[in-house]
Amino acid sequence: MTDFRFDYGPRVLSGAGRSTSVPDLVPEGPVLVVTDTGVRGLGLADPMLAALADRAVVFDAVEPDPSAATALAAVAAGREAGVTSVVGFGGGSPMDVAKVVAYLLGSGDDLDAIYGVDQAKGARLPLVLIPTTAGTGSEATPIAILTVGGAEKKGIVARPLYADWAILDAALTFGLPRGVTAATGIDAMVHAIEAFTTKRLKNPLSDALAKEALRLLGANIRRACDDPADPGARGAMLLGSHLAGVAFANAPVAGVHALAYPLGGHFHVLHGLSNALMLPHVLGHNMAAALPLYADLAPILDSSLASLGRQAQAQGLVEALAAIAADCGVPSRLRDVGVKAADLDMLASEAMKQQRLLINNPCEIGLADARRLYAAAL
Ligand SMILES: [Zn+2]
């Protein structure tokens, strides 16, 4: 067995209604709750806020593709209230901001000094993350993505960004609209696939988690879309998303995410949808190197592929994923989300800024490759 390192991530508390357990998991004193107005408006945080009573200090101004300025505003709110812990409550955006805020409040570091990998080395405030989508897996990872200067996505990846606790409360996801359920579910499947096929840091533990994540997600995504309040399907999706998150926290994502980020930054396409749009094209590009690994994954999504040859299995994986996207009503073309042929050069050059992710891709993606893949997706 090859050498590897692995981090299991935060402790996990799982169960419908468990978001009300936050007071048991944080120290005394005011708690900064980082969320967004959409989640707040749906009342999803109300049971937790009632449990925290007058200890809750709510910052609900997190936007999609959150900016560095938003993170700094949350830090200011937390500092003014003298908070002793931070809760991130929502999709990937509030959880990512909460990680950064807990770190900046606890360490006193400057935000500009911690972009990149392992630049954050200080101590953060106690941190609990509660996902309301399944999902980004952000509750499982030491990664935060902020938008800087209007459109560029910059990552902060460092061990102190792992939360103390992740609460998996499937009841929070019952009300997710079909389009969000589908796009975030496909994002989670991409996390599992990219972790399993990553060129760097692939290891047996992340492989096992990625496979189980793909099994849970693939078997339940249609049911979660068609019957949103099915507790079994929702619980499986949330667990699958979390396991995929633990997998890619250790075995990082790659080309699909690298090409998806410019769509979020420049066209505000939701992260999950961005990934779904680029997925079949990047998998096709990667076939030269990743075919055996795609073949390994294929029967997990579709057991009828088990008896086929390796090439047919790998192609079957791509087709099974496309069928899931189609059945769940996910758009399949970049033109469906407002991208035009004139944008392809810009997107390709923006994707080249994601070297943090591109270095993990099974096959090299250069500028010309990226442009060709965007053109194929148009
Ligand atoms: Zn993702």
Side-chain angles (χ1 to χ4, degrees):
M1 193 161 68
T2 51
D3 294 355
F4 68 94
R5 59 177 286 176
F6 189 87
D7 218 317
Y8 281 94
R11 300 172 79 183
V12 174
L13 186 62
S14 178
R18 284 295 194 160
S19 68
T20 56
S21 300
V22 168
D24 303 332
L25 308 180
V26 294
E28 285 182 26
V31 181
L32 182 66
V33 176
V34 178
T35 186
D36 62 49
T37 52
V39 166
R40 190 89 191 275
L42 291 170
L44 295 176
D46 289 353
M48 177 193 69
L49 293 175
L52 284 168
D54 59 1
R55 296 173 61 192
V57 178
V58 178
F59 179 90
D60 65 4
V62 177
E63 74 278 38
D65 304 301
S67 68
T70 295
L72 294 175
V75 168
R79 193 165 280 146
E80 187 179 321
V83 299
T84 58
S85 62
V86 177
V87 172
F89 190 103
S93 298
M95 290 193 287
D96 278 15
V97 171
K99 292 179 205 178
V100 175
V101 169
Y103 179 78
L104 295 178
L105 283 172
S107 68
D109 283 1
D110 283 335
L111 177 55
D112 285 336
I114 63 170
Y115 291 113
V117 178
D118 288 334
Q119 302 302 306
K121 297 184 169 80
R124 56 153 174 73
L125 290 187
L127 174 65
V128 179
L129 297 176
I130 307 175
T132 61
T133 65
T136 62
S138 176
E139 80 281 0
T141 76
I143 304 165
I145 308 291
L146 296 177
T147 303
V148 181
E152 188 185 350
K153 297 274 202 166
K154 284 179 112 173
I156 302 164
V157 185
R159 206 181 179 291
L161 267 59
Y162 274 118
D164 297 294
W165 286 93
I167 299 182
L168 306 182
D169 180 348
L172 299 174
T173 69
F174 289 175
L176 279 179
R178 181 181 177 88
V180 177
T181 300
T184 55
I186 290 173
D187 181 34
M189 296 172 87
V190 176
H191 296 155
I193 294 165
E194 293 211 289
F196 191 77
T197 56
T198 191
K199 198 160 79 179
R200 291 170 55 250
L201 305 174
K202 180 175 165 65
N203 67 82
L205 292 178
S206 61
D207 284 353
L209 293 171
K211 283 179 165 174
E212 176 62 4
L214 195 62
R215 187 189 70 77
L216 286 164
L217 295 160
N220 288 282
I221 187 168
R222 290 181 174 89
R223 195 147 52 95
C225 284
D226 293 341
D227 186 2
D230 181 320
R234 289 298 196 182
M237 292 298 292
L238 194 56
L239 181 59
S241 165
H242 183 73
L243 296 182
V246 180
F248 91 84
N250 290 278
V253 293
V256 181
H257 275 72
L259 268 61
Y261 276 126
L263 298 171
H266 291 271
F267 295 91
H268 297 288
V269 180
L270 289 175
H271 175 74
L273 177 54
S274 305
N275 277 293
L277 291 165
M278 297 314 299
L279 176 63
H281 308 286
V282 177
L283 293 193
H285 176 77
N286 288 344
M287 276 296 172
L291 187 150
L293 296 174
Y294 293 154
D296 285 347
L297 293 177
I300 296 172
L301 274 192
D302 180 351
S303 58
S304 74
L305 298 171
S307 58
L308 301 183
R310 303 294 275 166
Q311 189 154 3
Q313 284 182 319
Q315 194 53 41
L317 176 77
V318 179
E319 285 161 15
L321 290 162
I324 287 172
D327 290 350
C328 296
V330 176
S332 61
R333 313 299 314 182
L334 292 184
R335 69 177 89 100
D336 298 335
V337 297
V339 178
K340 299 193 165 52
D343 302 317
L344 298 178
D345 287 330
M346 179 277 290
L347 286 170
S349 67
E350 284 295 294
M352 289 301 104
K353 293 178 181 169
Q354 300 295 331
Q355 289 302 321
R356 172 180 77 83
L357 304 172
L358 290 170
I359 58 171
N360 307 317
N361 202 56
C363 294
E364 191 179 336
I365 297 179
L367 182 65
D369 301 311
R371 194 189 186 287
R372 179 174 48 77
L373 293 170
Y374 282 124
L378 187 64

